[in-house]
Amino acid sequence: MRRTPAPPVILGNEPGSFPRSVLAERHPAIIRQVRDAFPYGPEARRALDALAASCADGVIEPLADDAHDRDRWRDWGLDVYAGRSWFDVPWLWSESYFYRRLLDAVGYFGPGPWAGIDPFRPFKLAELDAAETDEELSALDSLADRPAEERGRALLHGSLWGNRADLGFRLSDGEAEGRAAVPGLVADDSEALWSLLAVAHAHEGRDPDGGPDQVRDQDRGREVSAGAGTTLCLVADNAGRELIPDLLLVAHLLEHGQCDRVVLHVKPYPYYVSDATTADVVDALRKLTGAGGAAADHGRRLWAAMADGVLTVRAHPFSAAPLPYARMPEDLRAEFAGAALTIVKGDLNYRRLVGDSRWDPTTPFADVTACFPGPVVALRTLKSDVITGLDAATEAALVAAEGQRWRTGGTHALIQLRE
């Protein structure tokens, strides 16, 4: 499959653009919220103020010589971008490095008493404890007696629209939560997704003696280990009210035999305000098991699945890299290549999947994801400019109705599959 050449990457220096508003407005707001959420000492408070000043008028500064990940960030482009304005480097890179410097400012990487303290944890826990979360979990009881296929579709859409629960997005757009979601998807490959899951699992036969054999997947020409069963990767996005429906979807797929194992990819450290870490996975499972009703049943099954190794958590350093998945390291590429399907959640991961460039919206999704090493599906609520895979009539109707606001307002969503 050919790889469509990408347009230039998106920068943050265009006046009035969405990326510029993130750098100029969202990041200072995040610094203020973090500063107020903890009783940080004078040193941390000075460091946060200095970061805010740097973001507004300064330049990108290198990491300290003794930083544990200095060499990794140099490989990721720090030597090229140091000394330049935050607005004049690729937006994806600038955003990612902002969160790395924010953690430095609050002492997350230590040594010291604030080492390992998630600066976004109060916001994440407040969302888990919100009445809206309890209402959403209670609604699971009404699905309990519905056919499995209907439950699966409901949980898939719960995972999709859970992507609206993005704390960083809501910080920069106070009206986001009040805007109603548009139920019709701008692209919907959900039926092909269910068919792929069924086919992938059917190809995972087992010999009569239970030993591993090799089954040739004729559709894709890939060999899969039948004795090992099908593996599904889910690249998580946000914690809290998004991670819970992601976990519920995982529980359903495991329970109904649509995969045998799930690898949940999370961030190795706090990132983009509400992006999920391993600690957030545990918090979400505790919320489920303590909720009662159907939610608790799902939570207990997921807890047991983690204990048994059926559900595993992966926090690869590249999950917080300022780079597209086209540049993933070979070990991660091998993991995705071995999966029957990778589900990529959310806006940031979509940008990394297709490349953070100003694609023509009608550029085929299959072309821009050709570098991904296995079948991949994107579940995403639109909260940034990047979009691919639309038909011309859909794009024209969106522009006629909303101008370009449909790209960033969080009211539209998509399910896009490349087999």
Side-chain angles (χ1 to χ4, degrees):
M1 185 179 294
R2 67 186 180 89
R3 169 73 175 172
T4 301
V9 297
I10 294 175
L11 307 180
N13 56 8
E14 181 182 336
S17 68
F18 181 72
R20 186 172 184 86
S21 72
V22 169
L23 298 176
E25 300 168 19
R26 181 185 297 187
H27 288 180
I30 290 169
I31 292 172
R32 289 192 296 271
Q33 292 238 347
V34 167
R35 199 177 189 275
D36 294 341
F38 287 93
Y40 291 121
E43 182 178 354
R45 296 172 78 83
R46 284 194 295 270
L48 287 169
D49 292 343
L51 178 61
S54 172
C55 290
D57 302 308
V59 298
I60 293 167
E61 298 177 0
L63 295 173
D65 290 344
D66 60 351
H68 74 284
D69 55 352
R70 178 173 175 265
D71 290 342
R72 183 180 298 145
W73 275 94
R74 292 182 69 185
D75 289 342
W76 290 345
L78 182 55
D79 288 349
V80 175
Y81 299 132
R84 297 170 64 178
S85 165
W86 292 84
F87 297 91
D88 292 337
V89 306
W91 180 41
L92 176 63
W93 200 98
S94 186
E95 280 194 287
S96 296
Y97 194 60
F98 165 78
Y99 287 98
R100 175 59 183 83
R101 293 313 303 254
L102 178 62
L103 294 181
D104 253 351
V106 299
Y108 179 85
F109 294 112
W114 293 98
I117 303 297
D118 184 347
F120 311 124
R121 185 167 173 77
F123 317 130
K124 295 173 178 178
L125 291 180
E127 187 176 84
L128 273 181
D129 292 337
E132 293 88 347
T133 305
D134 293 332
E135 291 169 5
E136 289 163 2
L137 293 179
S138 296
L140 287 172
D141 294 338
S142 64
L143 283 177
D145 296 328
R146 308 304 298 171
E149 182 176 321
E150 183 178 331
R151 292 202 305 274
R153 281 166 168 71
L155 292 171
L156 175 66
H157 278 261
S159 176
L160 171 64
W161 287 109
N163 187 228
R164 295 190 83 203
D166 180 333
L167 291 169
F169 174 64
R170 299 206 305 268
L171 275 174
S172 62
D173 187 351
E175 299 177 355
E177 191 125 31
R179 288 195 298 269
V182 178
L185 304 185
V186 299
D188 186 3
D189 293 336
S190 55
E191 292 307 314
L193 167 61
W194 292 115
S195 296
L196 175 64
L197 286 170
V199 169
H201 198 262
H203 284 166
E204 294 286 354
R206 286 165 173 77
D207 68 21
D209 297 323
D213 57 21
Q214 292 293 323
V215 176
R216 174 65 67 178
D217 183 343
Q218 300 291 349
D219 293 338
R220 292 183 294 275
R222 297 187 300 128
E223 286 189 350
V224 293
S225 174
T230 52
T231 297
L232 181 142
C233 292
L234 193 154
V235 182
D237 190 33
N238 297 303
R241 285 173 59 197
E242 178 173 359
L243 185 58
I244 281 179
D246 292 346
L247 290 170
L248 293 171
L249 177 61
V250 165
H252 177 86
L253 296 176
L254 287 170
E255 180 183 3
H256 294 280
Q258 288 160 306
C259 59
D260 297 302
R261 290 189 313 277
V262 174
V263 180
L264 182 65
H265 287 257
V266 298
K267 301 303 187 294
Y269 51 73
Y271 191 64
Y272 277 71
V273 182
S274 55
D275 278 28
T277 65
T278 303
D280 299 319
V281 175
V282 176
D283 286 339
L285 289 177
R286 285 178 174 150
K287 178 68 177 181
L288 283 171
T289 56
D297 293 338
H298 288 303
R300 285 189 289 268
R301 284 196 295 270
L302 288 165
W303 193 281
M306 285 194 71
D308 293 340
V310 173
L311 171 60
T312 59
V313 177
R314 184 83 160 97
H316 195 286
F318 191 78
S319 293
L323 303 172
Y325 277 107
R327 293 180 59 183
M328 76 179 86
E330 287 306 313
D331 62 329
L332 188 59
R333 179 173 293 275
E335 289 185 36
F336 290 139
L341 176 68
T342 297
I343 299 174
V344 173
K345 280 297 308 290
D347 201 76
L348 170 62
N349 288 324
Y350 187 89
R351 291 163 57 195
R352 298 187 69 199
L353 178 64
V354 306
D356 202 31
S357 301
R358 292 194 182 279
W359 295 102
D360 184 308
T362 61
T363 306
F365 180 72
D367 289 356
V368 298
T369 57
C371 63
F372 200 82
V376 61
V377 62
L379 306 185
R380 175 213 181 188
T381 301
L382 277 58
K383 292 175 289 191
S384 67
D385 292 301
V386 176
I387 184 71
T388 68
L390 300 191
D391 62 61
T394 297
E395 184 204 2
L398 289 166
V399 172
E402 303 180 37
Q404 296 300 324
R405 179 63 177 171
W406 61 273
R407 294 174 180 255
T408 60
T411 57
H412 294 278
L414 59 79
I415 300 174
Q416 290 177 321
L417 173 69
R418 193 222 72 208
E419 298 188 45

